[in-house]
């Protein structure tokens, strides 16, 4: 099982969703795992990645990174700049592992 790391990277503001080949399971309050069915690989998620993937899984349509940041800010007491950096890094990491889909319409912003 590989652990997803959070690194400082920039992400485009395009909508993202969980890939159809990704299956998410929460393990406890602060962690979860994703199984990538195509390559049969499990990824252990840290707290940030678990919260983010859970939001993507529950969403009715792909979300923009700014929508993910807004949702996570409402749920956690954290500095917005740090959270934005963590979300962007996590999305890059998930995308590199083929766990995200980016070709569907986004949930409209309010």
């Amino acid at each position: 099982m590989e652990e997803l790391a959070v690194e400082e990277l920039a992400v485009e503001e395009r909508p993202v969703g969980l890939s159809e080949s990704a299956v998410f399971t929460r393990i406890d309050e602060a962690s979860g795992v994703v199984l990538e069915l195509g390559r049969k690989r499990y990824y252990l998620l840290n707290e940030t990645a678990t919260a983010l993937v859970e939001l993507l899984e529950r969403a009715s349509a792909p979300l923009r990174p700014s929508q993910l940041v807004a949702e996570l800010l409402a749920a956690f007491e954290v500095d917005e700049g740090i959270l934005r950096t963590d979300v962007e890094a996590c999305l890059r990491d998930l995308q590199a592992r083929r766990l995200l889909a980016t070709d569907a319409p986004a949930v409209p912003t309010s």
Side-chain angles (χ1 to χ4, degrees), residues 7-105:
E7 302 170 7
E8 290 191 36
L9 299 167
V11 162
E12 297 174 25
E13 188 55 22
R14 67 180 180 213
V16 295
L18 213 52
S19 167
E20 288 183 10
S21 68
V23 178
F24 168 75
T25 300
R26 182 176 272 281
I27 295 172
D28 57 31
E29 277 189 38
S31 62
V33 294
V34 173
L35 168 62
E36 199 279 307
L37 296 171
R39 294 183 293 163
K40 296 179 178 81
R41 294 185 114 170
Y42 274 99
Y43 297 96
L44 177 62
L45 305 177
N46 65 20
E47 187 173 7
T48 302
T50 296
L52 187 147
V53 169
E54 195 165 52
L55 284 173
L56 292 174
E57 183 186 52
R58 290 187 311 205
S60 58
L63 299 169
R64 296 182 183 284
S66 59
Q67 291 171 300
L68 291 165
V69 169
E71 290 283 333
L72 293 169
L73 277 173
F76 299 101
E77 290 186 32
V78 63
D79 176 79
E80 183 176 354
I82 291 170
L83 179 62
R84 185 172 307 282
T85 298
D86 286 353
V87 166
E88 290 174 354
C90 185
L91 290 173
R92 284 274 189 232
D93 208 3
L94 292 168
Q95 185 175 20
R97 288 167 169 72
R98 300 183 215 161
L99 300 172
L100 293 182
T102 59
D103 52 351

